[in-house]
């Protein structure tokens, strides 16, 4: 099988790594890729938002499967163009990807499917914003209706800050605050059959102890030793399957990766948000534990054959990812700094480095090229072992001005 992955972050590096280990994958390509992906796949230059260009690249490579990683190409309709050309593609249509592209649309789908979620208001005027903020009170949860690369959500007890964020959005969803821990649960679907993966937890705040601004994610771990063993089955029955069924009923079947961001509240499971693609950095730890070869599962989803997919096999151990971010992330990150110690980090047993925002400079050195630069991932017999290895690998990497959280999976490992 010849596979083309679209994207160039750590999520795509994790996908490419898993696909490169699949014996059925005879050729692996990625566009545009990054410095790390280039070590496991042949990289190509392409505008990931240009469906025609992506389709032409897929045709020239004679790709048997295209995997679209980021949300922006999905919302732009890249998967639609590929399907029109007869290329099997893992990723939803533009109309189905609105589930992530518009939080108001997602709320409408959830209401129709009777999916448990936070009470909310969709606001477009200052008066509506003030009314909604007053109705819910602090802490305020304010979400940009559109795509914001994981940084469109503000949770704050500061009314002025909440209002400022809301006014900066064309359309905004203001909702009640959900208590309890958050869980990310991915599911692969062909529009009918829904195949849930193992849950993970990510860390959105930039600093230790969940301080600092929201980010795209500073680390993750899997499994969740504190979670109810019945959680996945419950979410499949009350959230994932009803949502897929409702989208199919509307004539916009969802085929690809459905990501449910969940809060385990005192009143039960509630959906915080849906995404239409693998989440970053949770993908890094979920795929680290997946023993079933990945390509066949994704192809079955892309071709409507997921019902024939045998049960997934998982490692009994754990995985931890720690994100190394560049100076001043998430505000205005500095780029172009040389990254050293990558080989030393990879020398840690059962640890590896996934590239997010990296590039090669004129001298062939790996340099930072984004806010989140690396996802250092490790596996172990339990969270404590995986965590120790991940942080040992992190300690060997040198990037001027970089920062990372030191408490990824710490509480879960201590309580396991």
């Amino acid at each position: 099988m010849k596979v083309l992955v679209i994207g160039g972050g750590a999520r795509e590096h994790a996908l490419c790594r898993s696909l490169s280990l699949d014996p059925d994958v005879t050729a692996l390509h990625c566009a545009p890729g990054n410095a790390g992906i280039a070590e496991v796949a042949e990289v190509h230059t392409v505008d990931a938002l240009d469906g025609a260009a992506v389709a032409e690249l897929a045709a020239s490579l004679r790709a048997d499967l295209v995997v679209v990683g980021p949300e922006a190409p999905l919302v732009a309709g890249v998967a639609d163009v590929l399907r029109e050309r007869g290329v099997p593609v893992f990723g939803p249509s533009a109309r189905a990807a609105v589930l992530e592209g518009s939080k108001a649309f997602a709320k409408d789908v959830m209401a129709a499917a009777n999916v448990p979620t936070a009470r909310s208001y969709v606001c477009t005027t200052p008066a509506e914003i003030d009314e909604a903020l007053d109705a819910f009170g602090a802490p305020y949860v304010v979400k940009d209706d559109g795509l914001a690369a994981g940084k469109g959500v503000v949770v704050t007890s500061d009314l002025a800050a909440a209002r400022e964020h809301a006014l900066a959005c064309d359309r905004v969803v203001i909702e009640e605050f959900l208590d309890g821990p958050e869980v990310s649960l991915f599911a692969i679907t062909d529009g009918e059959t829904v195949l849930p993966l193992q849950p993970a937890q990510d860390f959105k705040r930039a600093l230790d102890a969940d301080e600092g601004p929201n980010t795209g994610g500073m680390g993750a771990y899997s499994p969740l030793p504190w979670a109810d063993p019945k959680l996945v089955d419950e979410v499949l029955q009350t959230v994932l399957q009803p949502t897929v069924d409702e989208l199919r009923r509307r004539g916009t079947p969802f085929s690809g990766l459905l990501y449910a961001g969940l809060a385990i509240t005192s009143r039960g499971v509630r959906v915080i948000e849906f995404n239409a693609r693998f989440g970053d950095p949770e993908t890094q730890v979920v795929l680290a534990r997946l023993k079933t070869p990945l390509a066949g599962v994704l192809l079955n989803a892309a071709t409507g054959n997921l019902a024939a997919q045998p049960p997934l096999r998982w490692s009994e151990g754990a995985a931890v990812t720690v994100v190394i971010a560049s100076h001043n992330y998430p505000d205005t990150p500095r780029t172009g700094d040389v990254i050293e110690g990558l080989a030393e980090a990879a020398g840690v047993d059962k640890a590896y480095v996934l590239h997010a925002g990296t590039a090669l400079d004129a001298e062939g050195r790996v340099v930072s090229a984004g806010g989140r630069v690396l996802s250092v991932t490790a596996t172990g017999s339990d969270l404590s072992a995986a965590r120790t290895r991940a942080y040992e690998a992190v300690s060997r990497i040198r990037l001027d001005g970089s920062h990372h959280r030191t408490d990824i999976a710490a509480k879960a490992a201590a309580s396991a």
Side-chain angles (χ1 to χ4, degrees):
M1 192 189 309
K2 296 177 182 176
V3 183
L4 168 62
V5 176
I6 302 301
R11 163 186 47 221
E12 288 77 33
H13 194 175
L15 287 163
C16 285
R17 179 182 180 274
S18 289
L19 290 165
S20 73
L21 299 173
D22 187 331
D24 288 335
V25 176
T26 54
L28 181 59
H29 303 268
C30 186
N34 62 37
I37 292 172
E39 296 176 5
V40 295
E42 184 178 344
V43 297
H44 305 266
T45 301
V46 77
D47 179 355
L49 299 179
D50 185 338
V54 172
E56 287 169 17
L57 176 61
S60 71
L61 298 173
R62 297 182 179 178
D64 301 300
L65 173 67
V66 177
V67 180
V68 183
E71 59 272 25
L74 293 169
V75 173
V78 168
D80 301 80
V81 179
L82 289 161
R83 286 194 179 93
E84 288 165 8
R85 305 275 181 96
V87 180
V89 55
F90 183 80
S93 67
R95 289 180 67 196
V98 176
L99 193 68
E100 174 170 2
S102 168
K103 292 175 179 62
F105 175 77
K107 288 289 188 183
D108 186 60
V109 170
M110 283 188 272
N114 201 28
V115 169
T117 186
R119 293 182 299 119
S120 63
Y121 293 102
V122 180
C123 307
T124 56
T125 68
E128 290 174 347
I129 287 168
D130 289 340
E131 186 178 343
L133 291 172
D134 182 59
F136 288 128
Y140 305 99
V141 181
V142 184
K143 299 181 176 182
D144 190 334
D145 180 53
L147 293 179
K151 296 185 283 290
V153 179
V154 165
V155 181
T156 179
S157 293
D158 183 336
L159 176 59
R163 192 169 189 273
E164 180 184 13
H165 181 67
L167 291 170
C169 305
D170 289 333
R171 186 159 75 151
V172 66
V173 174
I174 296 174
E175 62 184 38
E176 67 175 329
F177 177 77
L178 296 175
D179 65 329
E182 294 185 14
V183 173
S184 299
L185 184 61
F186 302 159
I188 292 170
T189 178
D190 58 6
E192 291 192 19
T193 301
V194 180
L195 186 65
L197 305 185
Q198 289 288 298
Q201 186 175 59
D202 79 333
F203 294 73
K204 287 293 187 190
R205 298 285 187 169
L207 307 175
D208 284 3
D210 291 329
E211 299 287 337
N214 258 356
T215 72
M218 294 298 292
Y221 69 93
S222 181
L224 312 181
W226 48 268
D228 187 329
K230 299 176 183 175
L231 175 66
V232 173
D233 287 340
E234 179 189 345
V235 175
L236 174 62
Q237 292 168 18
T238 64
V239 174
L240 299 169
Q241 191 71 58
T243 300
V244 169
D245 291 345
E246 172 62 19
L247 287 166
R248 187 176 67 252
R249 188 190 67 77
R250 293 179 177 217
T252 54
F254 188 105
S255 172
L257 195 290
L258 179 59
Y259 165 140
L262 309 165
I264 313 302
T265 77
S266 54
R267 295 170 293 152
V269 174
R270 297 288 186 273
V271 175
I272 300 170
E273 65 175 352
F274 283 124
N275 290 331
R277 38 71 193 179
F278 280 102
D280 181 350
E282 301 98 319
T283 301
Q284 289 85 304
V285 292
V286 172
L287 292 185
R289 298 185 55 227
L290 180 63
K291 295 174 72 174
T292 300
L294 182 62
V297 184
L298 302 186
L299 184 63
N300 280 339
T303 55
N305 295 313
L306 203 57
Q309 172 67 42
L312 299 179
R313 294 180 295 111
W314 296 93
S315 160
E316 291 295 319
V320 172
T321 283
V322 179
V323 170
I324 296 178
S326 57
H327 176 72
N328 208 35
Y329 175 78
D331 294 328
T332 49
R334 190 175 75 204
T335 60
D337 290 307
V338 175
I339 304 166
E340 299 178 313
L342 291 171
E344 293 94 320
V348 176
D349 183 40
K350 295 184 178 178
Y352 50 90
V353 180
L354 299 169
H355 291 231
T358 68
L360 296 176
D361 68 7
E363 299 173 42
R365 299 175 300 180
V366 179
V367 297
S368 60
R372 291 184 296 168
V373 181
L374 303 168
S375 283
V376 181
T377 304
T379 58
S381 57
D382 56 23
L383 281 175
S384 182
R387 196 172 175 277
T388 297
R389 287 173 175 149
Y391 278 106
E392 171 61 28
V394 166
S395 73
R396 300 185 182 193
I397 294 171
R398 298 175 297 284
L399 172 60
D400 186 47
S402 68
H403 63 97
H404 63 272
R405 285 185 57 158
T406 65
D407 61 349
I408 303 299
K411 285 183 182 177
S415 63

